[in-house]
Amino acid sequence: MSFFAPLELVPGDPILGLTEAYNADTRATKVNLGVGIYYDEAGRIPVLRAVQQVERQLAEQSKPRGYLPIDGLPDYTRATRDLLFGGESPLVSEGRAITTQTIGGSGALRVGAELLKKALPAARIAISNPSWENHRAVFGAVGFEVVDYTYFDAAAHGLDFDGMLADLVALEPGTVVLLHACCHNPTGADLTPAQWERVVALLHERGLFPFIDMAYQGFDRGIDEDALAIRLLAASPIRNFVVASSYSKSFSLYGERVGALTVVSDSADEARRVQSQVKRLIRANYSSPSTHGAALVAGVLNDPALRMQWEEELGRMRTRIHALRAGLVERLAANGASQYDFIARQAGMFSYSGLSKAQVERLRDEFGIYAVGTGRICVAALSADNLDYVAKAVAAVS
Ligand code: PMP
């Protein structure tokens, strides 16, 4: 008799499964648009020059590898908080915002979810329909009932803002509302600044709890522009909110697992109590975060010259994504598929292309082009080499 006998086989992650199928494909022309990773023009995950510079310094210093504090490297958490709130936020100077280093943005979501489950044990969480798949899993795993709010209008290929407002208004006060700060994953449909103002006002009026997921700061319009939701919340009368942020994309440091949880409390005293709880949650989970990725990010953000270099490199990634979007729309139209102009209006790495499951299957079977079954494609996996091929294939199945 085995103690593991009752355990069933559960399905693997569909997106990671897609990459396995792609790797096994022997066609030379294959393209993986299923991933959530930014690739450069040569099809490689970039190693940013600013990061390389710090990496060289760290290698030379060869510092001892003691444990970090439970809440992470202070140079990292301070710089992260400043990036989220901008230079001078009263909320920061009043000691109401505390940032903790976490194991990627995913770790921030998990620690944040556990904290909120303690503070608001009866609350539900509302996530956008659709949302990043893992949102449901993470909040479900800590015992939250997860509900959806309307977000995407498939026919219009954009945000259904009226539907979103109607659903948010109907939520019970105290419900946690998960919002993507920018570059919505998976749809690429974001709120305009005026729409953000409406949402922040509504969150306040209805007594809802904002939980911001910021996985792509700087990937759409700029570091400050992409943080608008956070800046508006900070300037609003709302006393509490949390932010889960990640440097996986903006520093191209996916495997280093560099993220942060920022919790905004009502006062400095409350913030200290909240932080003691955050530390206890982490201590009982993975005890303390890892050093290398945080040292890289802190090394860049706290050195004015390297920071400027990073901002340039981030800007180039952003500009390239915009150019790929425009290029794809143009090539599609040139191949007779002119219905895809919305792709150029979407933000970030992803696009809900509107391709059906059957069309996605044809792309895979006939062309070796891999996309998620929902029609999500990663625009940042396109390049000058494959753009024409992908446009022709998409036009052929459209
Ligand atoms: N939130 C969203 C919306 C994401 O797309 C991702 C990454 N795919 C994450 C969180 C998690 O980020 P990380 O890889 O740093 O855990």
Side-chain angles (χ1 to χ4, degrees):
M1 206 282 284
S2 165
F3 288 104
F4 292 139
L7 297 185
E8 292 167 4
L9 184 70
V10 293
D13 184 285
I15 296 180
L16 300 182
L18 206 63
T19 296
E20 282 167 25
Y22 167 82
N23 288 340
D25 194 324
T26 51
R27 286 172 282 190
T29 50
K30 66 183 178 175
V31 183
N32 189 359
L33 302 181
V35 288
I37 289 179
Y38 174 95
Y39 290 97
D40 65 15
E41 202 45 47
R44 283 189 299 255
I45 299 174
V47 182
L48 303 187
R49 283 182 35 233
V51 168
Q52 284 177 25
Q53 182 78 26
V54 178
E55 204 138 47
R56 273 195 293 273
Q57 292 165 8
L58 290 175
E60 269 166 32
Q61 292 165 358
S62 195
K63 281 188 184 162
R65 305 297 155 90
Y67 289 119
L68 284 181
I70 295 174
D71 47 1
L73 188 69
D75 282 349
Y76 171 89
T77 51
R78 213 178 304 115
T80 299
R81 200 187 52 199
D82 290 348
L83 211 58
L84 296 175
F85 292 98
E88 277 154 31
S89 164
L91 197 148
V92 170
S93 53
E94 289 161 15
R96 288 175 51 208
I98 298 196
T99 299
T100 303
Q101 181 186 334
T102 57
I103 311 291
S106 305
L109 288 164
R110 178 65 186 243
V111 177
E114 289 188 27
L115 177 74
L116 292 191
K117 190 68 196 162
K118 270 202 117 143
L120 313 161
R124 292 172 166 178
I125 176 156
I127 64 174
S128 60
N129 180 21
S131 198
W132 182 47
E133 282 300 320
N134 218 13
H135 283 148
R136 187 177 297 281
V138 168
F139 287 93
V142 309
F144 270 100
E145 185 189 338
V146 183
V147 297
D148 288 336
Y149 59 85
T150 299
Y151 191 79
F152 192 67
D153 180 343
H157 304 288
L159 181 69
D160 177 356
F161 190 59
D162 290 341
M164 178 181 181
L165 287 184
D167 283 358
L168 295 184
V169 164
L171 293 172
E172 241 172 272
T175 302
V176 181
V177 180
L178 190 113
L179 296 151
H180 300 229
C182 64
C183 307
H184 186 268
N185 179 5
T187 67
D190 280 354
L191 278 68
T192 64
Q195 287 170 336
W196 272 121
E197 284 182 21
R198 287 279 304 275
V199 167
V200 169
L202 188 152
L203 293 167
H204 175 57
E205 283 156 27
R206 302 291 305 163
L208 300 167
F209 190 107
F211 194 132
I212 303 289
D213 185 354
M214 170 77 124
Y216 302 92
Q217 188 172 7
F219 256 60
D220 181 29
R221 292 183 319 120
I223 291 164
D224 290 322
E225 292 87 339
D226 292 351
L228 179 70
I230 295 166
R231 310 289 166 85
L232 289 175
L233 283 169
S236 79
I238 292 173
R239 303 304 290 175
N240 303 124
F241 62 94
V242 303
V243 181
S245 58
S246 166
Y247 291 114
S248 298
K249 281 87 185 179
S250 57
F251 270 79
S252 194
L253 282 174
Y254 304 85
E256 293 294 350
R257 314 305 297 125
V258 267
L261 173 70
T262 299
V263 183
V264 174
S265 298
D266 190 36
S267 64
D269 176 59
E270 186 178 275
R272 273 189 291 276
R273 285 185 279 125
V274 169
Q275 191 59 8
S276 71
Q277 298 272 351
V278 168
K279 283 163 76 169
R280 177 173 287 188
L281 289 170
I282 290 173
R283 178 74 179 138
N285 189 343
Y286 52 85
S287 192
S288 62
S290 47
T291 48
H292 189 65
L296 294 175
V297 172
V300 171
L301 291 181
N302 293 312
D303 178 298
L306 290 178
R307 178 174 168 138
M308 202 186 291
Q309 186 172 6
W310 166 65
E311 289 194 21
E312 276 166 23
E313 294 188 273
L314 178 60
R316 277 202 289 278
M317 291 197 276
R318 172 167 71 236
T319 309
R320 191 169 154 270
I321 292 175
H322 289 303
L324 287 169
R325 285 186 178 279
L328 181 61
V329 170
E330 188 250 310
R331 306 285 169 95
L332 280 164
N335 284 285
S338 54
Q339 68 273 41
Y340 287 102
D341 55 337
F342 59 88
I343 290 178
R345 292 192 297 272
Q346 294 169 331
M349 303 206 312
F350 300 114
S351 170
Y352 244 28
S353 62
L355 289 166
S356 67
K357 203 164 189 302
Q359 288 170 316
V360 167
E361 279 168 15
R362 277 191 66 193
L363 283 177
R364 186 193 58 210
D365 296 344
E366 295 173 30
F367 300 94
I369 295 173
Y370 290 75
V372 183
T374 54
R376 186 192 86 167
I377 59 169
C378 177
V379 179
L382 292 167
S383 69
D385 285 346
N386 63 29
L387 199 59
D388 233 5
Y389 178 70
V390 170
K392 283 200 169 73
V394 172
V397 303
S398 295

